[in-house]
Amino acid sequence: MMRRLLLAVALLLMAAPAFAVNPDEVLADPALEARARALSAELRCMVCQNQSIDDSNADLAKDLRLLVRERITDGDSDEAVLTYIVSRYGEFVLLKPRVSMKTVLLWGAPLLLVLAGGLSLLVFARNRAGKPTGSKLTADEQAKLSELLREDRIV
């Protein structure tokens, strides 16, 4: 009995994203609806942040889904719809950010910092390798060392 209950709960939880798009949001034209669903899958829910607006039940996600459908029915291309949404909400709304100078810098900066740190350590280590670590002996210390070395040869 317990297994059946757990199975039923698991099936309901797996089907939860299917309930995100309400029947009143669905467009009559199947081709336009497919475009709307594809675009909704590319946009991040700003409330949930780890779900697309297609999978989210948040009110803001619903508003964005309706906006996408409105723009599509007005005749906008997919790129125009995405550009409009990004202009209002910023690049963060895209689940897969576009490649631009900002994103290249964002993802490349840690690698550049690690390379710069490694290079500076290498240069620092090479500069120190050839230099003596102590100071020169004074005349008294040199004389005492010479005397000790001579005594060592006698024995």
Side-chain angles (χ1 to χ4, degrees), residues 41-114:
E42 294 180 30
L43 297 172
R44 179 189 317 273
C45 174
M46 302 301 279
V47 176
C48 307
Q49 293 189 5
N50 227 9
Q51 286 183 322
S52 69
I53 63 170
D54 199 44
D55 297 335
S56 176
N57 288 323
D59 290 335
L60 180 60
K62 180 180 179 178
D63 293 342
L64 282 173
R65 285 192 304 264
L66 291 173
L67 181 61
V68 166
R69 284 167 171 74
E70 177 185 316
R71 301 295 293 195
I72 287 175
T73 55
D74 288 346
D76 286 359
S77 67
D78 292 356
E79 189 60 35
V81 172
L82 289 177
T83 301
Y84 179 76
I85 299 289
V86 168
S87 71
R88 292 185 72 190
Y89 294 96
E91 287 280 331
F92 184 71
V93 78
L94 296 174
L95 280 172
K96 294 179 184 172
R98 297 173 179 156
V99 177
S100 67
M101 194 59 171
K102 290 179 192 176
T103 56
V104 168
L105 184 63
L106 177 68
W107 290 101
L111 179 63
L112 291 175
L113 288 173
V114 167

Side-chain angles (χ1 to χ4, degrees), residues 4 6 18 25 39 52 69 99-100 109 119 129:
R4 288 182 184 171
L6 287 175
E25 297 175 26
L39 287 173
S52 69
R69 284 167 171 74
V99 177
S100 67
L119 184 63

